[in-house]
Short mmCIF file of all heavy atoms in Angstrom, two decimals:
data_model
loop_
_atom_site.label_atom_id
_atom_site.label_comp_id
_atom_site.label_asym_id
_atom_site.label_seq_id
_atom_site.Cartn_x
_atom_site.Cartn_y
_atom_site.Cartn_z
N ASP A 1119 70.43 78.28 197.80
CA ASP A 1119 71.64 77.53 197.42
C ASP A 1119 71.81 76.26 198.26
O ASP A 1119 71.35 76.20 199.41
CB ASP A 1119 72.90 78.36 197.63
CG ASP A 1119 73.26 79.17 196.38
OD1 ASP A 1119 72.49 79.20 195.43
OD2 ASP A 1119 74.36 79.81 196.40
N PHE A 1120 72.48 75.30 197.68
CA PHE A 1120 73.02 74.18 198.43
C PHE A 1120 74.52 74.43 198.43
O PHE A 1120 75.20 74.19 197.46
CB PHE A 1120 72.66 72.87 197.73
CG PHE A 1120 72.94 71.61 198.49
CD1 PHE A 1120 72.15 70.48 198.28
CD2 PHE A 1120 73.97 71.50 199.42
CE1 PHE A 1120 72.37 69.29 198.99
CE2 PHE A 1120 74.20 70.34 200.13
CZ PHE A 1120 73.38 69.23 199.90
N THR A 1121 75.00 74.98 199.53
CA THR A 1121 76.42 75.34 199.63
C THR A 1121 77.15 74.25 200.41
O THR A 1121 76.66 73.80 201.45
CB THR A 1121 76.57 76.68 200.41
OG1 THR A 1121 75.83 77.67 199.74
CG2 THR A 1121 78.05 77.08 200.50
N VAL A 1122 78.26 73.84 199.88
CA VAL A 1122 79.10 72.86 200.61
C VAL A 1122 80.41 73.54 201.04
O VAL A 1122 80.97 74.35 200.28
CB VAL A 1122 79.37 71.61 199.75
CG1 VAL A 1122 80.71 70.97 200.09
CG2 VAL A 1122 78.27 70.58 199.95
N ILE A 1123 80.82 73.23 202.25
CA ILE A 1123 82.11 73.71 202.76
C ILE A 1123 83.03 72.50 202.79
O ILE A 1123 82.76 71.51 203.46
CB ILE A 1123 81.94 74.31 204.17
CG1 ILE A 1123 80.95 75.49 204.12
CG2 ILE A 1123 83.29 74.72 204.75
CD1 ILE A 1123 80.57 76.05 205.48
N MET A 1124 84.12 72.59 202.02
CA MET A 1124 85.09 71.51 201.97
C MET A 1124 86.44 71.99 202.45
O MET A 1124 86.66 73.20 202.60
CB MET A 1124 85.28 71.01 200.52
CG MET A 1124 84.08 70.35 199.93
SD MET A 1124 84.53 69.42 198.42
CE MET A 1124 85.09 67.86 199.15
N GLY A 1125 87.36 71.06 202.64
CA GLY A 1125 88.70 71.45 203.03
C GLY A 1125 89.30 70.35 203.88
O GLY A 1125 88.60 69.48 204.36
N PRO A 1126 90.62 70.41 204.10
CA PRO A 1126 91.28 69.35 204.85
C PRO A 1126 90.81 69.28 206.28
O PRO A 1126 90.25 70.24 206.81
CB PRO A 1126 92.78 69.71 204.77
CG PRO A 1126 92.88 70.95 203.99
CD PRO A 1126 91.53 71.44 203.63
N SER A 1127 91.05 68.15 206.92
CA SER A 1127 90.72 67.98 208.33
C SER A 1127 91.46 69.05 209.14
O SER A 1127 92.63 69.29 208.89
CB SER A 1127 91.14 66.58 208.76
OG SER A 1127 90.77 66.37 210.07
N GLY A 1128 90.75 69.66 210.07
CA GLY A 1128 91.37 70.68 210.91
C GLY A 1128 91.38 72.06 210.28
O GLY A 1128 91.86 73.03 210.88
N ALA A 1129 90.82 72.21 209.07
CA ALA A 1129 90.85 73.51 208.38
C ALA A 1129 89.95 74.56 209.04
O ALA A 1129 90.11 75.75 208.81
CB ALA A 1129 90.42 73.31 206.91
N GLY A 1130 88.96 74.09 209.81
CA GLY A 1130 88.03 75.01 210.45
C GLY A 1130 86.61 74.92 209.94
O GLY A 1130 85.77 75.76 210.25
N LYS A 1131 86.31 73.87 209.17
CA LYS A 1131 84.97 73.74 208.56
C LYS A 1131 83.86 73.69 209.60
O LYS A 1131 82.89 74.43 209.50
CB LYS A 1131 84.91 72.47 207.70
CG LYS A 1131 85.94 72.41 206.58
CD LYS A 1131 85.81 71.13 205.75
CE LYS A 1131 86.06 69.83 206.48
NZ LYS A 1131 87.46 69.67 206.98
N SER A 1132 84.01 72.78 210.57
CA SER A 1132 82.95 72.65 211.58
C SER A 1132 82.85 73.93 212.41
O SER A 1132 81.73 74.38 212.73
CB SER A 1132 83.24 71.48 212.53
OG SER A 1132 83.30 70.29 211.80
N THR A 1133 83.98 74.51 212.74
CA THR A 1133 83.97 75.73 213.53
C THR A 1133 83.23 76.84 212.77
O THR A 1133 82.43 77.57 213.35
CB THR A 1133 85.44 76.17 213.83
OG1 THR A 1133 86.09 75.08 214.47
CG2 THR A 1133 85.47 77.37 214.75
N LEU A 1134 83.46 76.90 211.46
CA LEU A 1134 82.76 77.89 210.64
C LEU A 1134 81.25 77.61 210.62
O LEU A 1134 80.42 78.52 210.80
CB LEU A 1134 83.31 77.87 209.21
CG LEU A 1134 82.64 78.80 208.20
CD1 LEU A 1134 82.78 80.26 208.63
CD2 LEU A 1134 83.22 78.61 206.79
N LEU A 1135 80.89 76.35 210.44
CA LEU A 1135 79.44 76.01 210.40
C LEU A 1135 78.77 76.34 211.72
O LEU A 1135 77.68 76.91 211.73
CB LEU A 1135 79.29 74.50 210.09
CG LEU A 1135 77.88 74.10 209.72
CD1 LEU A 1135 77.61 74.44 208.26
CD2 LEU A 1135 77.68 72.59 209.93
N TYR A 1136 79.42 76.01 212.82
CA TYR A 1136 78.83 76.27 214.13
C TYR A 1136 78.74 77.77 214.40
O TYR A 1136 77.80 78.21 215.03
CB TYR A 1136 79.63 75.53 215.25
CG TYR A 1136 79.19 74.09 215.36
CD1 TYR A 1136 79.38 73.21 214.29
CD2 TYR A 1136 78.53 73.63 216.48
CE1 TYR A 1136 78.95 71.92 214.34
CE2 TYR A 1136 78.08 72.32 216.55
CZ TYR A 1136 78.29 71.47 215.49
OH TYR A 1136 77.83 70.16 215.55
N ALA A 1137 79.68 78.52 213.88
CA ALA A 1137 79.62 79.99 214.07
C ALA A 1137 78.49 80.58 213.24
O ALA A 1137 77.62 81.32 213.79
CB ALA A 1137 80.96 80.64 213.70
N ILE A 1138 78.41 80.26 211.97
CA ILE A 1138 77.40 80.96 211.13
C ILE A 1138 75.99 80.48 211.49
O ILE A 1138 75.01 81.20 211.26
CB ILE A 1138 77.64 80.82 209.60
CG1 ILE A 1138 77.61 79.38 209.13
CG2 ILE A 1138 78.94 81.53 209.19
CD1 ILE A 1138 77.78 79.27 207.60
N SER A 1139 75.89 79.30 212.14
CA SER A 1139 74.55 78.82 212.52
C SER A 1139 74.14 79.36 213.89
O SER A 1139 73.01 79.15 214.30
CB SER A 1139 74.54 77.30 212.54
OG SER A 1139 75.45 76.84 213.50
N GLY A 1140 75.06 80.00 214.58
CA GLY A 1140 74.74 80.53 215.90
C GLY A 1140 74.77 79.48 217.00
O GLY A 1140 74.31 79.70 218.11
N MET A 1141 75.37 78.32 216.70
CA MET A 1141 75.53 77.28 217.72
C MET A 1141 76.72 77.60 218.62
O MET A 1141 76.84 77.09 219.72
CB MET A 1141 75.78 75.93 217.06
CG MET A 1141 74.62 75.45 216.23
SD MET A 1141 73.56 74.41 217.18
CE MET A 1141 74.42 72.86 216.91
N ASP A 1142 77.63 78.39 218.07
CA ASP A 1142 78.83 78.74 218.80
C ASP A 1142 79.10 80.24 218.52
O ASP A 1142 78.65 80.74 217.49
CB ASP A 1142 80.00 77.88 218.30
CG ASP A 1142 81.23 78.00 219.19
OD1 ASP A 1142 81.11 78.56 220.31
OD2 ASP A 1142 82.28 77.51 218.77
N THR A 1143 79.78 80.92 219.41
CA THR A 1143 80.00 82.35 219.18
C THR A 1143 81.44 82.58 218.67
O THR A 1143 82.37 81.94 219.16
CB THR A 1143 79.79 83.16 220.48
OG1 THR A 1143 80.46 82.48 221.52
CG2 THR A 1143 78.32 83.29 220.79
N PRO A 1144 81.58 83.45 217.69
CA PRO A 1144 82.93 83.74 217.18
C PRO A 1144 83.69 84.64 218.17
O PRO A 1144 83.12 85.18 219.08
CB PRO A 1144 82.66 84.47 215.90
CG PRO A 1144 81.35 85.14 216.08
CD PRO A 1144 80.56 84.25 217.00
N SER A 1145 84.99 84.74 217.95
CA SER A 1145 85.79 85.64 218.78
C SER A 1145 85.62 87.07 218.33
O SER A 1145 85.60 88.00 219.13
CB SER A 1145 87.27 85.24 218.72
OG SER A 1145 87.42 83.89 219.02
N LEU A 1146 85.55 87.25 216.99
CA LEU A 1146 85.47 88.61 216.40
C LEU A 1146 84.66 88.53 215.13
O LEU A 1146 84.53 87.45 214.54
CB LEU A 1146 86.86 89.12 216.04
CG LEU A 1146 87.77 89.67 217.14
CD1 LEU A 1146 89.16 89.91 216.57
CD2 LEU A 1146 87.19 90.93 217.76
N GLY A 1147 84.14 89.67 214.72
CA GLY A 1147 83.47 89.74 213.42
C GLY A 1147 81.95 89.69 213.56
O GLY A 1147 81.42 89.53 214.65
N SER A 1148 81.29 89.86 212.41
CA SER A 1148 79.82 89.88 212.43
C SER A 1148 79.25 88.76 211.57
O SER A 1148 79.90 88.27 210.64
CB SER A 1148 79.31 91.24 211.95
OG SER A 1148 79.76 91.47 210.63
#
Side-chain angles (χ1 to χ4, degrees):
D1119 270 7
F1120 190 150
T1121 303
V1122 150
I1123 300 172
M1124 293 196 84
S1127 184
K1131 302 182 296 295
S1132 299
T1133 306
L1134 177 62
L1135 193 78
Y1136 278 64
I1138 62 177
S1139 63
M1141 296 266 274
D1142 192 11
T1143 46
S1145 307
L1146 282 171
S1148 61

